[in-house]
């Protein structure tokens, strides 16, 4: 059993060069073993767990860990006068743990005046500002932290909390989803996303998140967390032991539901549907939407060119439509990398599939457009508007691009993709 007298690394059973991920995994493993809720008959469990938590809180923080490795004690005297950014940071942490939040905030301000790239200070200040209900300040600190480190669970977590409290519930769900992709074993992330889904009356998604939270709370031996998630399930009329989850997108009914929602309300349903899916599921749904689009475009385009050889025409149209989808997915990936936005390839595929869906469906009415030109103009405007709305929503809500940037790159990405498809079509179809 880990002892409070042991070295912090020994307490967590990790080496001195252990990574943050290894430290987190070790703490969770030991927490499951020694959590007081799982050892009610062991009077030493509380002290052992406290010792584990103490070691974890120091080693998971880069600045405190560095100071510990140098053989220096934690900042314990609020009367001492700090000089360096690191000393102000350590005093800020001490004051924050002592619930002296406003004093801690001043210390973190001093840190960032001395070192504007101090990542941990932005994260700690965001945490402190959240306690003080300064949500605009939380968002500013999280944004700055993500500019320094694009993949940071804590930044996404507090970004989600602040967005939710400000009423930006869809944006909060997007932030929690990004955090979950980075740390899928953290029950608090699922719990908070479940609250956001529940606020939007998305009961299925909320239930699925609360169920995942229960599972991970149980794995960590956190009975209080289990009970709070189960209480939420009971409010939704679900018995705690019943395991529900979002239907697999491979099932026809679930996919048809997503299909209908994206067509009827693209700006309102794009993010909510994406947040319910795992990375693999989002990729599958995006590819299925693109497949439907490609089939529709091929059938409609072939009808307009009935005089050409069938197989050659169909193959050329198929490759052309596929080229639009692939080009759009690649340009989405490039744009988020250019603007340093943290997301996944699965999100690019999902957004691209949803964007090309109306373009493919337009292919079915293409023959009618040739007969009634006015109808063709109307359908073209509706199709392009729908696709632009989907792409803009994906860029702003899923990739978290600023609106002023998305307003410019959205039509550019769609134009590049359509040009790529048209060039392929000319090369493969027109010569026939």
């Amino acid at each position: 059993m880990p002892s409070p007298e042991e070295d912090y690394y020994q307490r967590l059973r990790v080496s001195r060069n252990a990574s943050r991920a290894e430290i987190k995994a070790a703490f969770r493993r030991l927490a499951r073993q020694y959590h007081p809720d799982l050892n009610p008959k062991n009077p030493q469990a509380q002290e052992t767990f406290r010792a584990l938590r103490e070691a974890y809180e120091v080693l998971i923080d880069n600045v405190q860990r560095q100071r510990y490795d140098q053989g220096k004690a934690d900042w314990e005297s609020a009367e001492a006068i700090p000089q360096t950014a690191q000393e102000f940071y350590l005093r800020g942490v001490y004051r924050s743990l002592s619930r002296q939040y406003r004093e801690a905030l001043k210390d973190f301000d001093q840190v960032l005046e001395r070192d504007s790239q101090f990542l941990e200070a932005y994260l700690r200040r965001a945490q402190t500002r959240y306690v003080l209900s300064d949500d605009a300040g939380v968002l500013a600190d999280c944004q700055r932290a993500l500019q320094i480190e694009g993949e940071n669970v804590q930044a996404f977590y507090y970004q989600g909390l602040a967005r939710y409290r400000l009423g930006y519930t869809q944006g909060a769900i997007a932030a929690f989803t990004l955090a979950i992709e980075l740390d899928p074993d953290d029950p608090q992330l699922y719990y908070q996303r479940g609250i956001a889904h529940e606020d939007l009356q998305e009961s299925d998604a909320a239930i699925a998140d609360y169920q995942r939270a229960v599972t991970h709370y149980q794995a960590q031996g956190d009975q209080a967390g289990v009970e709070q998630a189960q209480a939420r399930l009971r409010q939704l009329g679900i018995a705690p032991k019943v395991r529900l989850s979002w239907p697999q997108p491979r099932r026809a009914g679930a996919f048809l539901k997503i299909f209908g929602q994206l067509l009827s309300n693209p700006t309102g349903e794009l993010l909510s549907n994406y947040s319910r899916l795992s990375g693999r599921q989002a990729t599958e749904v995006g590819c299925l939407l693109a497949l439907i689009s490609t089939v529709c475009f091929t059938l409609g385009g072939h009808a307009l060119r009935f005089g050409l050889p069938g197989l050659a025409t169909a193959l050329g149209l198929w490759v052309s439509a596929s080229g639009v989808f692939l080009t759009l997915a690649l340009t989405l990936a490039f744009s988020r990398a250019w603007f340093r936005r943290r997301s996944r390839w699965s999100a690019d595929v999902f957004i691209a599939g949803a964007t090309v869906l109306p373009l493919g469906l337009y292919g079915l009415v293409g023959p009618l457009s040739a007969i009634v030109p006015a109808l063709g103009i109307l359908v073209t405007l509706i199709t392009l508007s729908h696709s632009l709305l989907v792409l803009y929503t994906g860029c702003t809500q899923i990739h978290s691009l600023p609106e002023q940037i998305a307003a410019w790159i959205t039509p550019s990405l769609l134009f590049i993709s359509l040009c790529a498809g048209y060039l392929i079509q000319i090369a493969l179809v027109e010569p026939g």
Side-chain angles (χ1 to χ4, degrees):
M1 177 178 292
S3 168
E5 288 75 27
E6 289 179 315
D7 172 85
Y8 284 170
Y9 293 97
Q10 292 177 333
R11 289 188 199 180
L12 296 180
R13 303 293 187 259
V14 295
S15 65
R16 286 193 165 271
N17 60 355
S19 66
R20 285 172 56 87
E22 291 172 335
I23 291 171
K24 183 178 291 186
F27 173 72
R28 287 177 174 174
R29 182 180 66 253
L30 292 170
R32 287 195 296 268
Q33 185 176 356
Y34 297 111
H35 200 287
D37 291 341
L38 301 180
N39 297 273
K41 297 182 180 180
N42 183 356
Q44 299 298 321
Q46 183 71 39
E47 181 62 20
T48 300
F49 186 77
R50 185 204 63 76
L52 290 171
R53 169 65 70 177
E54 178 186 32
Y56 173 75
E57 291 293 344
V58 171
L59 298 185
I60 204 65
D61 185 300
N62 290 334
V63 179
Q64 295 187 79
R65 181 180 181 180
Q66 182 181 7
R67 188 176 179 85
Y68 179 78
D69 289 342
Q70 292 172 351
K72 299 178 181 179
D74 293 336
W75 192 275
E76 297 179 349
S77 174
E79 297 179 357
I81 301 177
Q83 301 294 328
T84 66
Q86 188 177 81
E87 289 174 348
F88 273 108
Y89 175 80
L90 292 169
R91 191 175 72 171
V93 172
Y94 170 80
R95 285 176 164 176
S96 180
L97 294 174
S98 303
R99 299 187 178 183
Q100 303 173 44
Y101 297 117
R102 297 197 180 279
E103 291 78 6
L105 193 61
K106 294 177 182 178
D107 282 331
F108 296 137
D109 289 341
Q110 290 291 327
V111 174
L112 295 171
E113 285 183 9
R114 288 164 170 77
D115 184 357
S116 62
Q117 299 297 309
F118 204 123
L119 173 64
E120 291 80 3
Y122 284 110
L123 297 174
R124 290 282 185 175
R125 191 169 71 174
Q127 182 180 11
T128 305
R129 282 176 161 174
Y130 182 76
V131 174
L132 297 174
S133 299
D134 179 12
D135 294 314
V138 174
L139 293 179
D141 280 339
C142 289
Q143 185 66 29
R144 190 69 184 88
L146 290 172
Q147 290 175 354
I148 298 172
E149 181 180 279
E151 299 184 356
N152 191 285
V153 175
Q154 190 175 352
F156 284 127
Y157 174 67
Y158 279 101
Q159 187 181 66
L161 290 178
R163 285 178 176 178
Y164 178 75
R165 201 155 62 180
L166 287 170
Y168 306 135
T169 309
Q170 291 283 13
I173 291 173
F176 291 135
T177 300
L178 290 171
I180 288 170
E181 289 180 355
L182 293 172
D183 189 0
D185 297 325
D186 190 331
Q188 191 65 15
L189 299 177
Y190 292 106
Y191 181 78
Q192 293 295 340
R193 192 175 70 173
I195 292 175
H197 277 306
E198 189 177 352
D199 187 61
L200 294 178
Q201 298 182 347
E202 297 173 349
S203 299
D204 290 345
I207 290 169
D209 277 338
Y210 292 144
Q211 289 285 2
R212 295 188 188 101
V214 168
T215 300
H216 291 295
Y217 278 131
Q218 287 175 335
Q220 296 179 17
D222 188 346
Q223 188 58 32
V226 170
E227 291 174 357
Q228 73 172 359
Q230 288 181 340
R232 287 281 183 173
L233 287 170
R234 283 191 289 270
Q235 291 176 4
L236 292 172
I238 302 298
K241 293 184 180 180
V242 177
R243 295 183 60 82
L244 299 179
S245 61
W246 175 253
Q248 293 292 327
R250 299 185 186 89
R251 298 177 182 176
F255 176 74
L256 288 176
K257 181 178 179 181
I258 296 175
F259 179 85
Q261 289 175 340
L262 292 179
L263 283 180
S264 62
N265 184 15
T267 57
E269 298 293 345
L270 186 72
L271 177 60
S272 61
N273 275 298
Y274 173 73
S275 64
R276 295 187 183 104
L277 304 172
S278 66
R280 180 177 178 180
Q281 290 172 342
T283 302
E284 291 174 351
V285 169
C287 289
L288 283 173
L289 293 173
L291 177 62
I292 293 173
S293 173
T294 301
V295 171
C296 292
F297 180 81
T298 301
L299 292 175
H302 187 270
L304 282 174
R305 298 170 173 82
F306 56 86
L308 296 178
L311 182 59
T313 302
L315 179 60
L317 293 171
W318 182 281
V319 175
S320 174
S322 300
V324 174
F325 166 67
L326 292 174
T327 303
L328 184 56
L330 290 171
T331 52
L332 276 168
F334 176 80
S335 63
R336 64 177 169 80
W338 180 268
F339 292 106
R340 298 181 180 179
R341 288 301 184 269
R342 171 67 182 85
S343 191
R344 298 284 186 182
W345 170 248
S346 58
D348 301 321
V349 173
F350 181 80
I351 297 170
T355 301
V356 301
L357 178 62
L359 297 174
L361 296 178
Y362 169 76
L364 290 179
V365 298
L368 294 178
S369 302
I371 300 173
V372 185
L375 176 63
I377 294 174
L378 176 62
V379 174
T380 299
L381 291 174
I382 293 174
T383 301
L384 289 176
S385 298
H386 196 294
S387 293
L388 284 169
L389 276 174
V390 172
L391 188 54
Y392 177 81
T393 302
C395 288
T396 55
Q397 295 187 4
I398 296 179
H399 285 337
S400 299
L401 289 175
E403 294 181 354
Q404 62 269 28
I405 293 178
W408 285 98
I409 71 166
T410 294
S412 302
L413 296 180
L414 188 59
F415 177 76
I416 292 171
S417 303
L418 291 175
C419 285
Y422 180 67
L423 292 174
I424 294 173
Q425 183 176 324
I426 291 177
L428 298 180
V429 177
E430 299 301 334

